[in-house]
């Protein structure tokens, strides 16, 4: 499923990106390490909802490197 979610993270529709991030938050962090760069890049997304979901997921992956969300 990671390949599908990875594809969805690059989708043009922000709602698809947000849903993919939310579904990925249920995965084991070790399985998501290959998507870390893609998730981090979404913390700068143009849509606030995607940024929030990306920050939450990235912090789930890297709890020692907390990314603060600023709107």
């Amino acid at each position: 499923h990671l390949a599908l979610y990875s594809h969805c993270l690059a989708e043009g529709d922000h709602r698809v990106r947000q849903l993919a991030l939310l579904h990925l938050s249920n995965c084991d962090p070790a399985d998501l390490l290959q998507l870390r760069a893609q998730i981090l890049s979404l913390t700068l997304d143009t849509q606030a909802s995607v940024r929030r979901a990306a920050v939450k997921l990235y912090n789930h992956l890297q709890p020692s490197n907390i990314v603060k969300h600023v709107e």
Side-chain angles (χ1 to χ4, degrees):
H1 298 288
L2 289 179
L4 175 63
Y5 287 132
S6 176
H7 176 74
C8 291
L9 292 177
E11 179 65 38
D13 187 340
H14 74 278
R15 295 169 293 190
V16 174
R17 294 192 306 273
Q18 181 184 5
L19 281 173
L21 289 164
L22 293 174
H23 284 288
L24 286 170
S25 68
N26 294 321
C27 295
D28 183 2
D31 295 336
L32 299 176
L33 290 178
Q34 62 187 344
L35 299 177
R36 182 177 49 201
Q38 197 172 8
I39 294 166
L40 183 60
S41 70
L42 288 172
T43 64
L44 302 174
D45 197 89
T46 58
Q47 293 292 319
S49 59
V50 174
R51 286 193 308 268
R52 280 191 296 272
V55 166
K56 183 177 178 181
L57 181 57
Y58 191 80
N59 289 337
H60 176 66
L61 293 176
Q62 304 279 79
S64 62
N65 296 328
I66 301 292
V67 174
K68 302 217 184 220
H69 180 315
V70 178
E71 285 192 40

